[in-house]
């Protein structure tokens, strides 16, 4: 079916967060819920350096849905990338609460793991080491930075309410982690006085999140508080170590990164999560700019920022979400525009959300996107 649609590159979820999805192509129609975790059969040998055991995620009774999809695609000469979601995932973080993100007020968050824990970094290195044994074109990394605490998936507490968290500065003040792993790494690295930084974060949260006034931009707060500058430098050092380890264990398999961390979609705006152009340049082979919009000015700014700050080949991720794309003509114009702006591939997400008619749009576009 994919080759009939002229699709020659496939991204397959290998380690994913929990999801509840409505597939318009399913028979019968309805919602499917998946708890998150590994969609491939993990090799225990690859995980002997971390106490975290990879949770398995069955689909339709299949304990390893990933492998047959990869094998079938490769038999049809369709390139395959493994999609690896990192630090956000309710099932994983709930099962290993000692590694959860813990904010300045002492609240742990059951959807997010903190990368300051060496055990957590080693877990994801183990995943990459295991996936590198497959016949893959590359491994795609999502959410490699410090997680946001307002990005839950499923979980214990039901409907989320956080109306006073109104902008990026609010979100990443309340998301700063001060767990035991952060405290241990801060002492070892001597980049920031974490206890003093925690007091600054608390004070700013109490100042700006208890009134209706808008919080100043995060960059302004960092410029006004040297401890915040040191705190974010500490975050970047942790992420750099993670990426270096992932690059080391990936072998000949390329590593790619979805540009979406820290509330930003361009490399210069990822720093609140510890992701910087420098650590991407050092350890990642390819990047994908996520352009889930039909606004050409927004797309142009994202692509230009990527090309100005990174030397990587640049792919673009588009969506056929009906709230974004009205019809086939608009879709084809968007694909043509983006294909002229990048030196990589165009990918359309997600296959499970597309109708049969939208799949026809994909195959009919003059510049064929992948899925």
């Amino acid at each position: 079916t994919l080759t009939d649609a002229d699709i020659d590159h496939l991204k397959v979820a290998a380690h994913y967060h929990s999801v509840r999805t409505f597939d318009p192509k399913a028979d019968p129609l309805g919602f499917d819920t998946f708890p998150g975790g590994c969609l491939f059969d993990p090799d225990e040998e690859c995980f002997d350096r971390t106490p975290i055991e990879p949770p398995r995620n069955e689909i339709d009774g299949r304990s390893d849905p990933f492998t047959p999809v990869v094998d079938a695609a490769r038999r049809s000469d369709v390139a395959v990338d493994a999609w690896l979601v990192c630090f956000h995932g309710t099932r994983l973080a709930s099962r290993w609460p000692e590694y959860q993100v813990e904010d300045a007020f002492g609240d742990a968050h059951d959807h997010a793991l903190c990368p300051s824990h060496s055990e957590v970094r080693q877990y994801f290195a183990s995943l990459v080491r295991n996936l590198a044994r497959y016949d893959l074109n590359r491994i795609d990394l999502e959410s490699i930075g410090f997680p946001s605490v307002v990005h839950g998936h499923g979980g214990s507490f039901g409907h989320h309410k956080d109306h006073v968290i109104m902008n990026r500065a609010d979100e990443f003040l309340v998301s700063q982690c001060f767990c035991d792993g952060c405290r241990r790494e801060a002492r070892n690295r001597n980049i920031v006085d974490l206890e003093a930084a925690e007091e600054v974060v608390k004070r700013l949260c109490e100042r700006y999140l208890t009134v209706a006034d808008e919080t100043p931009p995060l960059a302004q707060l960092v410029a006004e508080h040297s401890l915040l500058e040191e705190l974010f430098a500490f975050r970047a050092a942790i992420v750099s170590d993670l990426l270096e380890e992932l690059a080391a264990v990936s072998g000949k398999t390329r590593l790619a990164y979805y540009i979406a961390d820290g509330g930003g979609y361009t490399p210069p705006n990822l720093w609140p999560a510890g992701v910087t152009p420098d650590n991407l340049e050092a350890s990642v082979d390819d990047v994908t700019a996520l352009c889930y919009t039909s606004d050409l000015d927004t797309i142009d700014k994202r692509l230009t920022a990527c090309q100005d700050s990174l030397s990587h080949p640049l792919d673009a991720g588009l969506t056929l979400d009906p709230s974004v794309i009205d019809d086939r003509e608009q879709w084809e114009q968007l694909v043509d525009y983006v294909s002229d702006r990048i030196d990589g591939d165009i990918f359309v997400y997600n296959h499970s959300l597309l109708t049969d008619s939208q799949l026809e749009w994909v195959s009919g576009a003059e510049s064929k996107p992948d899925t």
Side-chain angles (χ1 to χ4, degrees):
T1 301
L2 293 177
T3 52
D4 291 342
D6 295 325
I7 291 171
D8 60 8
H9 203 144
L10 187 64
K11 295 184 180 291
V12 183
H15 185 273
Y16 212 65
H17 54 66
S18 58
V19 62
R20 188 167 187 253
T21 185
F22 188 94
D23 184 347
K25 301 182 296 301
D27 184 19
L29 285 175
F31 284 94
D32 280 324
T33 301
F34 305 102
C38 285
L39 292 120
F40 66 98
D41 185 17
D43 186 340
E44 292 182 5
E45 178 190 16
C46 292
F47 294 85
D48 59 3
R49 303 178 191 175
T50 176
I52 301 176
E53 299 175 3
R56 299 167 186 260
N57 195 347
E58 291 191 1
I59 295 181
D60 295 332
R62 298 183 180 93
S63 60
D64 182 12
F66 178 79
T67 300
V69 174
V70 172
D71 291 345
R74 299 304 290 156
R75 286 195 299 270
S76 300
D77 293 325
V78 174
V80 181
D81 300 341
W83 191 330
L84 196 169
V85 174
C86 293
F87 300 120
H88 71 86
T90 304
R91 184 184 185 192
L92 191 64
S94 296
R95 183 169 293 186
W96 300 95
E98 60 267 48
Y99 305 127
Q100 290 175 3
V101 163
E102 183 178 314
D103 62 36
F105 301 97
D107 295 323
H109 296 268
D110 67 356
H111 69 276
L113 293 172
C114 177
S116 286
H117 292 282
S118 60
E119 297 91 342
V120 171
R121 298 196 300 273
Q122 188 55 56
Y123 172 73
F124 289 99
S126 299
L127 286 170
V128 169
R129 182 185 295 110
N130 200 158
L131 288 170
R133 297 179 177 182
Y134 285 80
D135 185 12
L136 300 172
N137 186 59
R138 63 189 184 187
I139 298 170
D140 286 350
L141 305 172
E142 177 188 330
S143 300
I144 58 174
F146 280 78
S148 166
V149 301
V150 297
H151 192 55
H153 288 88
S156 306
F157 303 107
H159 192 74
H160 211 82
K161 292 196 174 185
D162 51 25
H163 295 170
V164 298
I165 301 175
M166 299 174 59
N167 53 38
R168 194 169 179 235
D170 292 339
E171 180 176 351
F172 282 90
L173 283 174
V174 299
S175 294
Q176 290 307 302
C177 184
F178 300 94
C179 69
D180 290 343
C182 285
R183 296 182 193 282
R184 182 170 56 250
E185 289 287 349
R187 289 192 296 269
N188 292 340
R189 295 169 186 264
N190 198 30
I191 296 174
V192 60
D193 180 337
L194 199 68
E195 284 72 21
E198 183 178 18
E199 290 305 312
V200 171
V201 170
K202 283 182 181 178
R203 190 163 65 249
L204 291 172
C205 287
E206 290 164 353
R207 175 179 179 183
Y208 291 112
L209 295 180
T210 59
V211 296
D213 295 338
E214 185 172 351
T215 308
L218 193 58
Q220 178 180 327
L221 295 177
V222 170
E224 294 172 355
H225 302 275
S226 60
L227 278 167
L228 290 185
E229 183 177 6
E230 294 168 2
L231 178 62
F232 287 110
F234 167 69
R235 304 294 185 215
I238 295 289
V239 174
S240 288
D241 281 1
L242 167 74
L243 286 175
E244 287 176 9
E245 180 65 16
L246 299 187
V249 300
S250 64
K252 296 181 180 179
T253 305
R254 297 176 70 86
L255 284 184
Y257 167 64
Y258 291 112
I259 300 175
D261 263 301
Y265 293 95
T266 64
N269 289 328
L270 307 175
W271 59 269
V275 183
T276 67
D278 286 344
N279 55 35
L280 292 176
E281 198 72 42
S283 301
V284 173
D285 301 300
D286 306 287
V287 294
T288 300
L290 295 179
C291 301
Y292 293 175
T293 175
S294 60
D295 184 83
L296 298 185
D297 286 341
T298 299
I299 291 174
D300 186 68
K301 289 176 182 177
R302 291 184 185 179
L303 299 180
T304 298
C306 292
Q307 291 160 337
D308 287 348
S309 57
L310 298 173
S311 64
H312 300 74
L314 180 62
D315 297 331
L318 305 182
T319 181
L320 275 165
D321 184 332
S323 67
V324 176
I325 304 297
D326 295 328
D327 52 39
R328 181 172 189 155
E329 180 181 4
Q330 184 186 26
W331 167 251
E332 292 180 348
Q333 290 173 348
L334 180 62
V335 170
D336 289 342
Y337 177 81
V338 173
S339 65
D340 288 339
R341 290 282 283 103
I342 62 175
D343 55 0
D345 294 322
I346 294 175
F347 293 92
V348 56
Y349 305 91
N350 284 285
H351 178 270
S352 65
L353 303 180
L354 300 182
T355 64
D356 287 335
S357 58
Q358 288 174 314
L359 285 174
E360 292 177 4
W361 298 0
V362 173
S363 63
E366 183 174 338
S367 302
K368 301 294 191 299
D370 304 307
T371 188

